[in-house]
Amino acid sequence: MKRLPIPEDVTGDEIDGDVQQELKSLPKGLAEEVAKNLVMVAKMIDEDPELAYGYSKIALRLASRVAAVREAAGFAAYATQRYAEALAEFRAARRMTGGVELWPVMADCERGLGRPERAMAMAGEAEVQKLDKAGQVEMRLVAAGARRDMGQIDAAIVTLQSPELAASTVQPWSARLRYAYADALLAAERSDEAREWFAKALEADKDGATDASDRLAELDGVEFVDAIDEELDDDESGDDEGVEDEDAVEGVEGDDVQDAGVADESGDDEELDDDEELDDDESGDDQGAEDEGAQDARGEKDE
């Protein structure tokens, strides 16, 4: 089995204590290798999901009977939009643990597979009542997304309206919940309300998890210009001017050469004119000699 490189500073001890407890069922050397691959999944899943997926597949081959491994493989597949594979891994992990924590992401996999009606059905199951507050908010977000998938924008807005949305205190889920609500309002062409809720989402988004600031700017008609792109454009413009200058110099030099050529031709014409004058003079001398010869001949005849 092909291994992926693991940095020397990754020891495997970085993983959660509960996961370490699960890995104790494996031989020590194997447990350490699985732990390192799980650490790499967590480190790379946002930066390079495909690479994280590769590490998860290695861990899965090494320890497919560990629930934490199946869950990690599910999230890596989910991050790369392999929804059928993710759903299978989440189901396997749930069977092993009996927990309901994965219920919302399982429902979202159904959405990813183009089955929003199944996601809606899951939102009405008893498992939702067993979720903690964060899980229930996540389920509400998935259900609202399913409503939108089915073209039910108004129903999606109503689904998101909840005590958690109206709360003035900021919770870990506040930014995403407010953002989803603002986005649904905008889809319903309620722009003023959408702007208000994008602003509220921005206030709650301390970690930059959403692009609420960009959406606000877009609604306000503000355009952002990348300074790096401007510098590149300036450099290219400078290069173009340099090329134009070189062309201009070459053009001048070419004109000078042509002028010089014309001047030389003019000089040649003058030389030809001088030669013609000489020929005329010589012709005149010949004519004079002929006249003198004729006069001598007449003189001799007279005598």
Side-chain angles (χ1 to χ4, degrees), residues 148-181:
R148 292 191 61 174
D149 292 342
M150 294 186 288
Q152 301 172 4
I153 301 299
D154 292 336
I157 292 173
V158 173
T159 299
L160 291 169
Q161 292 172 346
S162 60
E164 293 80 19
L165 178 66
S168 58
T169 57
V170 175
Q171 300 294 336
W173 57 77
S174 297
R176 293 179 59 238
L177 183 59
R178 294 175 183 180
Y179 182 93
Y181 188 61

Side-chain angles (χ1 to χ4, degrees), residues 47-100:
E47 180 180 341
D48 190 342
E50 282 294 337
L51 185 56
Y53 177 76
Y55 282 110
S56 75
K57 297 299 285 186
I58 294 173
L60 190 59
R61 293 191 190 109
L62 294 173
S64 61
R65 295 186 179 183
V66 176
V69 172
R70 303 302 290 265
E71 183 176 328
F75 278 111
Y78 178 82
T80 56
Q81 299 183 8
R82 294 175 171 91
Y83 297 117
E85 185 176 340
L87 185 57
E89 296 300 338
F90 290 142
R91 284 173 174 168
R94 183 169 178 267
R95 283 195 301 270
M96 293 177 181
T97 64
V100 296

Side-chain angles (χ1 to χ4, degrees), residues 39-272:
V39 171
M40 293 306 298
V41 172
K43 287 173 67 71
M44 303 305 300
I45 197 164
D46 292 327
E47 180 180 341
D48 190 342
E50 282 294 337
L51 185 56
Y53 177 76
Y55 282 110
S56 75
K57 297 299 285 186
I58 294 173
L60 190 59
R61 293 191 190 109
L62 294 173
S64 61
R65 295 186 179 183
V66 176
V69 172
R70 303 302 290 265
E71 183 176 328
F75 278 111
Y78 178 82
T80 56
Q81 299 183 8
R82 294 175 171 91
Y83 297 117
E85 185 176 340
L87 185 57
E89 296 300 338
F90 290 142
R91 284 173 174 168
R94 183 169 178 267
R95 283 195 301 270
M96 293 177 181
T97 64
V100 296
E101 296 81 7
L102 296 173
W103 195 255
V105 71
M106 290 170 62
D108 207 39
C109 285
E110 295 287 3
R111 285 187 61 213
L113 291 169
R115 301 191 294 240
E117 67 285 349
R118 291 194 184 183
M120 284 302 305
M122 291 179 68
E125 295 289 342
E127 282 79 358
V128 176
Q129 303 304 318
K130 301 175 185 178
L131 294 168
D132 60 14
K133 183 63 68 177
Q136 290 179 1
V137 170
E138 193 65 33
M139 193 70 242
R140 189 178 294 277
L141 288 167
V142 173
R147 291 289 188 188
R148 292 191 61 174
D149 292 342
M150 294 186 288
Q152 301 172 4
I153 301 299
D154 292 336
I157 292 173
V158 173
T159 299
L160 291 169
Q161 292 172 346
S162 60
E164 293 80 19
L165 178 66
S168 58
T169 57
V170 175
Q171 300 294 336
W173 57 77
S174 297
R176 293 179 59 238
L177 183 59
R178 294 175 183 180
Y179 182 93
Y181 188 61
D183 194 47
L185 289 169
L186 188 61
E189 299 183 355
R190 294 161 60 176
S191 300
D192 292 340
E193 293 174 84
R195 193 197 181 287
E196 176 187 351
W197 281 97
F198 276 129
K200 290 181 178 181
L202 182 59
E203 291 175 0
D205 192 2
K206 305 302 181 183
D207 300 325
T210 71
D211 63 346
S213 61
D214 293 340
R215 301 297 297 276
L216 271 174
E218 184 180 343
L219 286 172
D220 291 339
V222 177
E223 294 184 3
F224 293 100
V225 178
D226 196 326
I228 295 177
D229 291 341
E230 280 190 340
E231 291 177 2
L232 290 175
D233 291 340
D234 291 341
D235 291 341
E236 290 176 359
S237 176
D239 293 340
D240 292 340
E241 290 178 359
V243 171
E244 291 176 359
D245 292 341
E246 291 177 2
D247 291 342
V249 171
E250 291 177 359
V252 171
E253 291 177 352
D255 292 342
D256 291 343
V257 172
Q258 290 178 0
D259 292 343
V262 172
D264 291 343
E265 291 177 2
S266 176
D268 293 341
D269 292 341
E270 291 177 359
E271 291 177 1
L272 288 174

